[in-house]
Amino acid sequence: MTSPVLVLLAIAIDRIVGDPTWLYARIPHPVSLMAKFLMAGERGFNRPALTPKQRKQFGGVVFGLYVISFVAIALLIEHLVLHFLPGFMGTILMALLASSLLAVTSLMEHVQRVQMPVMMGDVETARLEVSKIVGRDTSELGQDGIIRAALESLAENFSDGVVAPIFWFIIFGFPGIVFYKAVNTADSLIGHKNERYIDFGYFAAKGDDVVNFIPARLTGLLLSFAAVPDGVAKARNGMHVMLRDAGKHISPNAGWPEAMMAGILGVKLGGPRTYKGQQHDGVWLGDGREALVADDITKGLSLIERAWSIILCIVIVIIFISNLLFEGVFV
């Protein structure tokens, strides 16, 4: 288990700094490096001439080598930093590196960029902004569809981009968060159920399902606790909707935070949506309002902010207790 102080610093840096554009205009973001490595393997081994079984096998090998390579790099970086910069300076540097793999600030900023044009009645700009954070077709979305897509992305990506990496970071340290981000990035790139990737990306998709299984359910609980200041009834309804509807989602994990968000806000999420011109009859999560308003995004963002604060408080409590019991050994 990694140092609670290291976790605290990493999540604080991410919330304060986020992903500075000036920095990543000059150097590649770690996730960009992961994507380039993986897609180089995909271009070399995902060939149409191969049989589905061969594509699945090659996809598994490429995925495995890709994940192992980045975990090995993470272990090497951690060893070098802690060897040459022991103590607090090394902790600061590792926290900076880990913070680049967290995404609460960038997530909230992206959703706020959808919220502002919605509030101003600028549907075209809102469609453009929401298209940057969802995979569905957005060209025909009205206000309800835009807000629904933004809320679903907010809930799911809070799990994938914040809770899950922190979970793996706490358990396995810097190599753990790199491991998670490598798997999650692979799923977002090749884990699609289309002709090109359904076989080659099979192991990436299944791996992502596994690494997000516990974090997705923890995210639902965190959102429930975060809803208590707005009324116990909202938290209770969120729990009711989550337990009832989460399993209906096509994803084994995304339904948990999304259903909880729907229940807390008293809205319907999910439902039909279009991908590459084809309509998919997605199930509804929740039994509240279908007509959504800009204030629903405001409430969703507030909920995420409180859930993040709960994570911060939990880590601080762990540090306090560990210092009492072990005289600062975890610092």
Side-chain angles (χ1 to χ4, degrees):
M1 183 175 288
T2 195
S3 162
V5 172
L6 178 56
V7 177
L8 176 65
L9 287 172
I11 61 179
I13 291 169
D14 172 56
R15 189 67 189 95
I16 295 168
V17 180
D19 288 333
T21 53
W22 62 266
L23 176 62
Y24 294 118
R26 292 168 174 79
I27 63 172
H29 192 281
V31 173
S32 297
L33 293 175
M34 291 178 181
K36 288 179 181 179
F37 185 100
L38 178 67
M39 296 314 289
E42 190 273 341
R43 287 189 296 272
F45 294 95
N46 189 18
R47 301 172 183 173
L50 298 174
T51 66
K53 182 178 179 180
Q54 288 173 326
R55 283 200 296 272
K56 184 180 289 188
Q57 290 172 339
F58 276 119
V61 171
V62 169
F63 173 67
L65 290 174
Y66 152 79
V67 172
I68 291 170
S69 296
F70 276 95
V71 170
I73 291 169
L75 285 165
L76 177 62
I77 291 172
E78 184 179 58
H79 173 75
L80 291 175
V81 169
L82 298 181
H83 178 75
F84 290 105
L85 285 174
F88 194 66
M89 289 303 296
T91 300
I92 288 288
L93 181 54
M94 293 307 302
L96 284 167
L97 293 171
S99 70
S100 68
L101 302 176
L102 299 173
V104 69
T105 297
S106 61
L107 169 62
M108 296 185 74
E109 287 176 350
H110 277 96
V111 175
Q112 285 167 346
R113 292 192 193 109
V114 178
Q115 179 190 31
M116 293 307 295
V118 168
M119 293 175 69
M120 297 170 64
D122 186 353
V123 175
E124 289 300 322
T125 301
R127 283 177 186 152
L128 175 63
E129 293 299 333
V130 83
S131 71
K132 299 174 183 178
I133 58 174
V134 297
R136 74 196 68 175
D137 296 341
T138 61
S139 59
E140 301 298 325
L141 290 181
Q143 175 175 291
D144 293 339
I146 292 168
I147 296 171
R148 184 167 290 113
L151 288 173
E152 290 167 10
S153 178
L154 183 62
E156 181 180 1
N157 285 302
F158 182 62
S159 177
D160 291 358
V162 183
V163 177
I166 290 174
F167 174 81
W168 288 98
F169 188 29
I170 288 173
I171 296 176
F172 294 115
F174 185 64
I177 193 173
V178 170
F179 162 76
Y180 170 77
K181 207 64 183 180
V183 174
N184 187 242
T185 299
D187 178 64
S188 67
L189 292 172
I190 64 171
H192 307 293
K193 293 182 179 180
N194 55 31
E195 184 177 355
R196 180 173 178 177
Y197 292 128
I198 190 167
D199 295 310
F200 189 82
Y202 174 84
F203 289 100
K206 294 301 181 184
D208 189 70
D209 289 344
V210 172
V211 298
N212 278 299
F213 185 86
I214 295 174
R217 287 145 183 84
L218 287 177
T219 302
L221 291 176
L222 279 170
L223 293 176
S224 178
F225 294 143
V228 170
D230 292 330
V232 175
K234 289 183 181 293
R236 186 183 298 118
N237 190 59
M239 186 67 69
H240 169 72
V241 170
M242 182 179 73
L243 294 175
R244 185 192 67 194
D245 293 348
K248 300 176 184 177
H249 200 286
I250 190 171
S251 164
N253 297 318
W256 293 82
E258 289 183 20
M260 178 60 76
M261 179 74 78
I264 291 170
L265 298 183
V267 300
K268 280 187 176 181
L269 298 180
R273 69 276 311 275
T274 303
Y275 294 96
K276 295 185 178 180
Q278 295 186 340
Q279 182 163 324
H280 296 259
D281 296 323
V283 298
W284 287 106
L285 305 175
D287 45 18
R289 290 178 286 114
E290 287 189 39
L292 306 183
V293 295
D295 190 52
D296 290 320
I297 299 181
T298 303
K299 292 176 181 177
L301 287 166
S302 296
L303 192 66
I304 294 300
E305 188 74 73
R306 290 200 296 266
W308 178 88
S309 299
I310 290 171
I311 295 173
L312 194 66
C313 290
I314 290 172
V315 175
I316 291 171
V317 169
I318 292 172
I319 293 171
F320 178 75
I321 293 175
S322 67
N323 281 335
L324 284 179
L325 296 179
F326 302 104
E327 297 181 357
V329 70
F330 288 110
V331 179

